[in-house]
Amino acid sequence: MARRRGRGRVYLVGAGPGDPSLITVRGQTLLKEADVVVCDVLAPAELMDMAPASAERVLVGRGGRRRLDQGAINRLMIARARRGLRVVRLKGGDPNVFGRVGEEAESLVRARIPFEIVPGVTAALGAAAATGIPLTHRSHASSVAFATAQTGSGKAPGGIDWGGLARIDTVVLYMGVRRLEGVVRGLMEAGRSPATPAALVRWATRPEQRLIRGTLGTIAAAARRKGLDPPAILIAGEVAGLGRRLDWFARRPLAGRTIVVTRPRDQSAALADRLRDEGARVIEAPSIVLRPPISSGPLDRALERLGRYRFLVFTSVNGVTRFFERLAGRGLDVRELAGVSIVAIGPATAAAIRSRGLRVAAIPEEFRAEGLLRVMGRRRVRGARILIARAAQARAILPRVLRERGALVDVVPVYRAVLSREGWADVRRALSDGGLDLLTFTSSATVKYFMAKLRGREASKARRIPAAVIGPITARAARQSGLRVIAMPRNYTIDALAEAIVRRFRNSPSGTPRGS
């Protein structure tokens, strides 16, 4: 990592309560400009992906690959800043609320390192929002207090004013899971009723959020019985009882579901984001990575004589993208396609073509050879030169049927799919834990390569997990691999696939077992 010219600076940034999208705009901007990101284990690790590829990433704190005490973290920030680097210290929640920002800022002042504190949504606010618990309410609560159940020494603070806390309408306790019995006993002995509504929220705002409801008198036993581990927030007060009616988070159709998205990383956002919006925990585990063809010779020769083709057929958005990238790279443009009828298999493919200012002559209603013949016209196909631009590993049936009908067909690979291992560790853990609800596939290649990555018993476990697919060709590949398809949209698009998944789970009985 190169030294910057000028003086380094440290930014103490609140990452928010758990959902990566809840970081502030200022926080995002600083991450995108960072030379070094020092990330707490309670901050969403996904946020480090916003930093430049060249940035140093250091995961610190409990549970991190590198465990550093506070003094070591301070020295790390100072050393990097003295090299002229921009250091983002990413902290869960808000750095000013039980985030040790005072200790870190004091060390920077002593070292004469300039710094900035960027606020974030603290865990208490995130937990309240994601459980439908209003911390204040005109009819129930006009005061709220935040407290911690431990001090810097790791011991429960003996000096807590339980009487003062008991008189506050809403009490929020951080870091209290391991001392929960003592905390609720302290509040009740100070006069708070055992019948006071209470809630424990673990991993607030994240898809894996867990919520336990009860009262001050029952919450500790419920947490012990359900094996709730830290980190979690305790909210106690009359407002905690309102969450049963106002809990929008748990009512989302995919809440509590874990879904694997196997689409290539650069194309997965539309599906993954939609599923997350509906409450799912999404594991992005791309089965394939798209690469240029081994040889671009066939495509280049076709590009030099595009005018001789009557039809140009695209079978995917990827094919469109790679075709026009190569066209421009050869110093050519869309004028070479004058007189060529463009056929798109699928509405998304058609949209990609139209975005380049081109007209789509035909879109088959069914995405197979017979459907293509119908829209192109059987008579017009005979003797016509047809160029098919597609993946290197695509099925042979389409060009074969066209040739049988008398067409002169050139098939040119514009990209190839290769095996990807990205995200597989998360899939393997979820398979082992029995924690997967759905696999999604957007092409036969994603099925093929996903199944190719399975080892031994993993394959049989995966075959017990239902699958959602984008269309009939992908469905056939899934079934041939032993997978059970439970959702396929009528329109073979990403939006329609997401809607089919939502509809399938919305109509499923609550508590339907995984893989059932």
Side-chain angles (χ1 to χ4, degrees), residues 227-289:
L228 189 77
D229 295 320
I233 293 281
L234 172 69
I235 304 175
E238 293 305 314
V239 290
L242 300 177
R244 295 186 185 278
R245 289 189 291 113
L246 306 180
D247 189 356
W248 61 272
F249 193 89
R251 290 191 178 95
R252 295 176 299 171
L254 301 182
R257 307 287 186 176
T258 299
I259 300 176
V260 176
V261 171
T262 60
R263 209 173 192 215
R265 172 68 70 177
D266 60 347
Q267 300 168 350
S268 64
L271 178 58
D273 289 349
R274 173 68 191 282
L275 297 177
R276 289 189 183 104
D277 285 346
E278 299 291 352
R281 176 196 174 212
V282 175
I283 297 177
E284 293 189 59
S287 298
I288 58 176
V289 177

Side-chain angles (χ1 to χ4, degrees), residues 33 89 128-129 152 174 194 316 350 365 376 384 406 414 433 437 457 474 500:
E33 299 172 349
R89 173 72 171 104
Y174 287 67
S316 69
E365 290 184 6
M376 294 169 71
V414 292
D433 297 340
D437 293 283
R457 295 180 61 190
T474 308

Side-chain angles (χ1 to χ4, degrees), residues 46-58:
E46 301 96 315
L47 289 176
M48 290 196 287
D49 293 338
M50 292 185 180
S54 58
E56 179 185 7
R57 292 159 168 81
V58 184

Side-chain angles (χ1 to χ4, degrees), residues 437-485:
D437 293 283
L438 188 71
L439 307 174
T440 65
F441 300 102
T442 54
S443 69
S444 54
T446 59
V447 176
K448 172 185 173 182
Y449 286 103
F450 180 86
M451 298 305 289
K453 292 193 290 187
L454 298 172
R455 301 174 185 167
R457 295 180 61 190
E458 290 175 346
S460 61
K461 289 183 177 180
R463 291 186 180 102
R464 291 197 293 269
I465 300 166
V469 300
I470 199 167
I473 294 173
T474 308
R476 185 183 304 115
R479 292 184 180 114
Q480 288 173 347
S481 296
L483 297 168
R484 182 169 58 88
V485 176

Side-chain angles (χ1 to χ4, degrees), residues 179-483:
R179 300 179 179 86
L180 190 56
E181 293 189 8
V183 166
V184 296
R185 184 170 57 250
L187 287 169
M188 290 188 293
E189 289 177 351
R192 203 64 183 261
S193 168
T196 302
L200 274 170
V201 191
R202 185 174 191 268
W203 290 125
T205 73
R206 295 187 67 89
E208 56 267 45
Q209 173 178 301
R210 278 188 74 189
L211 169 64
I212 297 176
R213 299 187 190 276
T215 66
L216 279 181
T218 64
I219 197 73
R224 187 169 59 252
R225 186 171 59 253
K226 295 184 179 181
L228 189 77
D229 295 320
I233 293 281
L234 172 69
I235 304 175
E238 293 305 314
V239 290
L242 300 177
R244 295 186 185 278
R245 289 189 291 113
L246 306 180
D247 189 356
W248 61 272
F249 193 89
R251 290 191 178 95
R252 295 176 299 171
L254 301 182
R257 307 287 186 176
T258 299
I259 300 176
V260 176
V261 171
T262 60
R263 209 173 192 215
R265 172 68 70 177
D266 60 347
Q267 300 168 350
S268 64
L271 178 58
D273 289 349
R274 173 68 191 282
L275 297 177
R276 289 189 183 104
D277 285 346
E278 299 291 352
R281 176 196 174 212
V282 175
I283 297 177
E284 293 189 59
S287 298
I288 58 176
V289 177
L290 303 184
R291 299 282 188 244
I294 294 175
S295 171
S296 295
L299 174 58
D300 290 343
R301 288 191 291 273
L303 293 176
E304 293 295 340
R305 49 180 190 267
L306 279 176
R308 73 175 188 161
Y309 293 104
R310 183 180 298 176
F311 294 102
L312 170 58
V313 180
F314 290 106
T315 62
S316 69
V317 173
N318 293 323
V320 174
T321 302
R322 269 71 182 179
F323 179 91
F324 285 101
E325 284 176 352
R326 191 68 182 178
L327 185 72
R330 299 284 293 176
L332 305 171
D333 58 37
V334 295
R335 288 175 293 184
E336 306 296 328
L337 293 169
V340 180
S341 295
I342 301 177
V343 179
I345 295 186
T349 307
I353 295 167
R354 293 187 184 110
S355 70
R356 289 164 170 79
L358 295 168
R359 188 175 70 87
V360 177
I363 308 173
E365 290 184 6
E366 53 176 316
F367 302 164
R368 56 190 78 190
E370 288 303 318
L372 192 63
L373 284 169
R374 269 194 291 275
V375 299
M376 294 169 71
R378 292 176 185 273
R379 292 181 181 177
R380 295 180 67 200
V381 164
R382 182 168 297 279
R385 286 193 173 275
I386 299 175
L387 177 63
I388 303 177
R390 64 181 196 176
Q393 307 95 325
R395 299 161 69 241
I397 186 170
L398 176 58
R400 177 173 59 78
V401 171
L402 290 173
R403 287 176 182 131
E404 289 173 353
R405 299 298 191 275
L408 304 172
V409 182
D410 289 336
V411 179
V412 293
V414 292
Y415 67 94
R416 60 192 171 95
V418 299
L419 184 68
S420 168
R421 294 284 180 186
E422 184 183 356
W424 193 244
D426 291 335
V427 172
R428 180 163 284 125
R429 276 193 296 271
L431 279 172
S432 176
D433 297 340
L436 290 182
D437 293 283
L438 188 71
L439 307 174
T440 65
F441 300 102
T442 54
S443 69
S444 54
T446 59
V447 176
K448 172 185 173 182
Y449 286 103
F450 180 86
M451 298 305 289
K453 292 193 290 187
L454 298 172
R455 301 174 185 167
R457 295 180 61 190
E458 290 175 346
S460 61
K461 289 183 177 180
R463 291 186 180 102
R464 291 197 293 269
I465 300 166
V469 300
I470 199 167
I473 294 173
T474 308
R476 185 183 304 115
R479 292 184 180 114
Q480 288 173 347
S481 296
L483 297 168

